[in-house]
Amino acid sequence: MPQQAREESSPMAQAQQKDFSFPKGFLWGAATAAHQIEGSPLADGAGPSIWTRFAHTPGMTANGDTGDVACDHYRRWKDDVRLMRELGLQAYRFSVSWSRILPEGTGRVNQAGIDFYSRLVDELLANDIEPLLTLYHWDLPAALDDRGGWLNRDCADWFAEYGSVLYRALDGRVKKWVTLNEPWVVTDGGYLHGALAPGHRNRYEAPIASHNLMRAHGAAVQAYRAIGQHEIGLVVNIEPKYAASGSVDDAAAVKRAHAYMNEQYLHPALLGRYPPELGEIFGDAWPQFPPEDFELIVQPLDFIGINYYTRSVTEARRSYPLDAGPVKQPLGTYTETGWEVFPQGLTDLLLWFKQTYGDIPVYITENGAAFFDPPVADTDAAGDRRVRDPLRTDYLRQHLSAIHDAIAAGVDVRGYMAWSLMDNLEWSLGYGKRFGIVHVNYGTQERTIKDSGRWYSRVIASQGGAL
Ligand SMILES: OC[C@@H]1[C@@H](O)[C@H](O)[C@@H](O)c2nc(CNc3ccccc3)cn21
């Protein structure tokens, strides 16, 4: 057979030849979190959260940025749902501010808080948008932090009580519930390194907070099974760890980093045990947990949410607690938050997840990137204002393609929530990091759909065909 001239085509041309249709029923949406968009943190009887306190503590956030106004969503929620409808979203992942519902964290219920989220859910449903509700996205009531917060084993009962109030009020209209958003970040950021609220830096506290978060997760799932009729899951941030070299030390560093971020929460939640590396990592700071705790933690789940942003090329190096660290890639593309754009990592991660935990349904509950966006300036032919953000569109396209590859390889990915619906408060980094597919002018609160948002609308309308 004469050697056929190999058809050379560019990756883009190859991509254009690929059929990107996603499975029927694949759920397309976008995500936010209460503290990052709502503003009005103390309105209508709400109590302060640890983020209300942390952000008002001098030096804790960039430029002293707080969530006092944010995107003013607490007042503009109906217009924002209209924006979601204009984008053609099929789903919207949001979180509830615990201290709006229970101002002291337990006990007295603030009906105005429930009413706000009830109205939001009804407006979503009226616009054919499915709500995905996250109970906890980092904003613990300050009153509970005063009682030890996640360091107090009573937090499991507190969290189950809070979840039960919302299950009774909203279940049926809300059919997909999430207990915790990213226990890893809550622990690593809030209790080990201190970069996030409540700002502790204590290697003995971190494993205790982490374990109690998972106990609280289990208690909230147990409570749901007694009250709810639909689905509940856990959301984790995980990232693939690749060895910087072929050395034995780097391989060991990868094992530690992988156990610390990727297995520390999925193992107890799905397998009922911790990876053995955690004892090595924390040493004398790793407690002996009561065996019955793991029976509470390992509750059957309807899905796992995976938040994916980047990978880590990892080497052995002196650092606490891992003695491992990321190596910058000289030829890599990086976002404004310093994360390498590496979509293949998402495919690799999803294949690992299936191989390790089996066929539990997966939603990509966050994926997105902060890039410097040009100001809202020019307009398109129809006179609509534009925000040209090609890097974000490329990021989203590449990661959706990576998900498509994982689905083709048999991973049961059920949906995708772009992070984020709109530019918002990036925690300690303030308002300078923009992840939205919709631009927010914080001076006027004007929203402008970015080019990435317009592109995403076309992708949703074509069920992936326009990728
Ligand atoms: O940083 C972007 C988003 C953030 O706005 C979300 O509230 C949060 O759920 C979220 N989690 C990650 C994943 N990784 C991460 C790693 C270190 C620190 C903070 C987040 C990114 N993001």
Side-chain angles (χ1 to χ4, degrees):
M1 169 70 78
Q3 182 66 29
Q4 297 290 328
R6 208 171 88 79
E7 179 62 38
E8 291 299 330
S9 62
S10 71
M12 182 60 78
Q14 285 166 13
Q16 280 158 355
Q17 290 157 6
K18 188 175 164 188
D19 165 26
F20 280 107
S21 54
F22 279 69
K24 185 170 169 44
F26 189 83
L27 197 60
W28 300 90
T32 66
H35 175 75
Q36 295 181 266
I37 66 165
E38 288 181 358
S40 307
L42 303 177
D44 302 326
S49 77
I50 54 175
W51 272 94
T52 319
R53 270 189 188 156
F54 192 73
H56 281 277
T57 305
M60 292 298 110
T61 64
N63 314 307
D65 287 351
T66 74
D68 290 354
V69 177
C71 305
D72 199 24
H73 175 75
Y74 185 74
R75 299 187 316 143
R76 297 168 187 268
W77 58 274
K78 189 169 276 191
D79 287 341
D80 287 337
V81 174
R82 194 170 297 124
L83 198 60
M84 297 177 212
R85 177 67 180 256
E86 187 179 345
L87 285 165
L89 300 187
Q90 298 169 351
Y92 172 54
R93 177 182 175 233
F94 64 98
S95 77
V96 170
S97 169
W98 185 340
S99 49
R100 290 195 196 281
I101 309 301
L102 293 157
E104 293 79 41
T106 63
R108 179 177 66 88
V109 173
N110 177 37
Q111 189 59 42
I114 293 181
D115 293 346
F116 169 72
Y117 293 104
S118 182
R119 285 193 296 268
L120 173 63
V121 166
D122 285 343
E123 190 69 15
L124 290 167
L125 295 172
N127 285 275
D128 300 320
I129 299 167
E130 180 173 2
L132 276 79
L133 189 154
T134 301
L135 291 174
Y136 188 69
H137 202 126
W138 306 0
D139 47 358
L140 185 74
L144 294 182
D145 195 47
D146 293 341
R147 295 164 63 183
W150 297 113
L151 299 172
N152 185 335
R153 280 179 66 90
D154 291 345
C155 63
D157 294 333
W158 303 338
F159 193 52
E161 176 187 350
Y162 160 55
S164 299
V165 169
L166 286 178
Y167 303 152
R168 291 190 184 97
L170 299 174
D171 193 55
R173 292 181 282 161
V174 173
K175 296 182 178 178
K176 287 183 177 63
W177 296 83
V178 167
T179 56
L180 302 174
N181 179 73
E182 302 186 346
W184 182 88
V185 177
V186 176
T187 303
D188 186 81
Y191 290 88
L192 188 64
H193 295 294
L196 303 175
H200 297 193
R201 301 164 65 93
N202 186 317
R203 70 191 193 95
Y204 292 92
E205 287 186 353
I208 294 168
S210 179
H211 185 71
N212 280 336
L213 277 157
M214 293 311 291
R215 291 178 55 250
H217 157 77
V221 175
Q222 266 186 345
Y224 186 72
R225 298 306 181 201
I227 299 169
Q229 304 292 319
H230 300 280
E231 298 182 339
I232 193 163
L234 170 69
V235 166
V236 291
N237 63 291
I238 52 180
E239 67 179 48
K241 311 294 181 180
Y242 301 89
S245 77
S247 74
V248 170
D249 288 348
D250 285 357
V254 163
K255 265 174 70 67
R256 291 192 297 273
H258 178 66
Y260 179 61
M261 179 180 276
N262 301 333
E263 297 178 335
Q264 181 171 193
Y265 302 95
L266 288 172
H267 265 39
L270 299 177
L271 306 178
R273 59 180 172 82
Y274 284 118
E277 291 82 0
L278 289 177
E280 172 197 341
I281 288 165
F282 281 99
D284 67 329
W286 187 252
Q288 290 306 310
F289 299 112
E292 59 272 19
D293 285 357
F294 297 93
E295 292 163 25
L296 172 63
I297 293 170
V298 67
Q299 298 294 323
L301 298 177
D302 300 295
F303 62 87
I304 286 287
I306 291 177
N307 293 353
Y308 178 84
Y309 287 87
T310 188
R311 70 160 173 180
S312 171
V313 178
T314 301
E315 69 174 2
R317 75 161 83 117
R318 294 291 302 147
S319 76
Y320 188 80
L322 291 177
D323 281 338
V327 176
K328 184 124 183 177
Q329 298 304 293
L331 301 179
T333 300
Y334 286 80
T335 70
E336 286 291 301
T337 49
W339 297 337
E340 186 188 4
V341 178
F342 195 76
Q344 180 60 43
L346 180 49
T347 307
D348 295 346
L349 199 65
L350 289 168
L351 293 173
W352 164 78
F353 180 88
K354 174 182 171 68
Q355 183 184 18
T356 308
Y357 303 107
D359 286 327
I360 183 169
V362 169
Y363 289 87
I364 304 302
T365 35
E366 287 180 29
N367 174 245
F371 289 113
F372 177 76
D373 293 338
V376 179
D378 59 354
T379 57
D380 64 7
D384 292 332
R385 290 169 307 113
R386 288 187 64 180
V387 178
R388 300 173 188 275
D389 60 335
L391 294 178
R392 184 170 293 102
T393 298
D394 281 347
Y395 179 98
L396 298 176
R397 174 190 289 114
Q398 292 178 73
H399 287 79
L400 283 168
S401 177
I403 294 166
H404 192 272
D405 290 345
I407 293 172
V411 183
D412 186 5
V413 184
R414 300 280 180 93
Y416 177 85
M417 306 294 135
W419 184 271
S420 178
L421 168 67
M422 66 179 87
D423 296 334
N424 59 54
L425 174 58
E426 182 51 36
W427 307 104
S428 309
L429 299 181
Y431 294 100
K433 306 301 180 190
R434 292 178 177 265
F435 281 85
I437 58 175
V438 174
H439 176 273
V440 176
N441 177 324
Y442 295 111
T444 64
Q445 290 297 348
E446 192 168 28
R447 278 76 159 138
T448 305
I449 297 177
K450 300 179 187 177
D451 285 359
S452 60
R454 297 181 184 199
W455 167 84
Y456 189 50
S457 297
R458 295 193 296 274
V459 170
I460 297 172
S462 63
Q463 198 60 15
L467 204 50

